[in-house]
């Protein structure tokens, strides 16, 4: 019997929760503004699974969430992203995996799309 992976979404600015976070993975392309690396408690930063700069700009310029998701999933299918993406389920299977982002609402962000894909 395999157990369901525990994948959490949190803001990187929230303090780490050692009892619940497990492995903390930053899923933003840029380091969060004003946050010291020592304070963030980030274990991994796989930039290949983050939305490209072009996709982020397109979305912030008024792109739709549905089209963003389609384009982001296409980026995740590219060879560099596939390799990095393949490591995340292994981390989730070993214990909690927390996807960190600087966006104000992680549940409505690329991190949620990534969590859904990882949850399968």
């Amino acid at each position: 019997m395999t157990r369901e992976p525990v994948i959490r979404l949190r803001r990187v600015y929230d303090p780490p929760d050692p009892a619940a976070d497990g492995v903390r993975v930053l899923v933003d392309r840029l380091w969060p503004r004003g946050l010291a690396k020592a304070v963030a408690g980030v274990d991994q930063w796989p930039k290949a699974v983050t939305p490209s700069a072009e996709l982020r700009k397109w979305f912030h310029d008024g792109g739709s969430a549905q089209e963003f998701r389609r384009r982001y999933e296409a980026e995740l299918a590219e060879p560099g992203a596939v390799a990095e993406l393949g490591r995340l389920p292994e981390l989730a299977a070993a214990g909690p995996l927390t996807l960190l982002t600087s966006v104000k609402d992680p549940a409505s962000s690329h991190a949620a799309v990534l969590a859904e894909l990882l949850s399968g």
Side-chain angles (χ1 to χ4, degrees):
M1 180 170 163
T2 59
R3 70 173 220 236
E4 288 293 316
V6 175
I7 301 172
R8 301 178 69 205
L9 299 177
R10 296 192 68 210
R11 292 196 74 219
V12 69
Y13 295 108
D14 296 336
D17 182 354
D21 283 352
V23 177
R24 293 168 51 88
V25 178
L26 180 63
V27 294
D28 287 344
R29 179 127 340 211
L30 304 173
W31 187 261
R33 190 173 297 191
L35 184 64
K37 290 183 181 181
V39 174
V42 170
D43 297 310
Q44 296 192 17
W45 187 15
K47 294 180 186 175
V49 301
T50 65
S52 67
E54 297 80 16
L55 182 55
R56 284 185 299 107
K57 182 179 180 340
W58 172 85
F59 184 64
H60 291 296
D61 285 346
S64 74
Q66 183 176 4
E67 180 64 12
F68 172 84
R69 181 184 184 104
R70 188 192 69 72
R71 290 181 184 195
Y72 181 42
E73 287 177 355
E75 287 185 356
L76 290 172
E78 294 174 5
V82 168
E84 291 289 335
L85 191 59
R87 293 184 185 104
L88 296 179
E90 296 169 11
L91 294 174
L97 175 67
T98 300
L99 302 179
L100 302 167
T101 182
S102 61
V103 301
K104 292 180 181 167
D105 182 11
S108 298
S109 73
H110 68 285
V113 173
L114 191 54
E116 284 180 37
L117 292 173
L118 294 173
S119 295

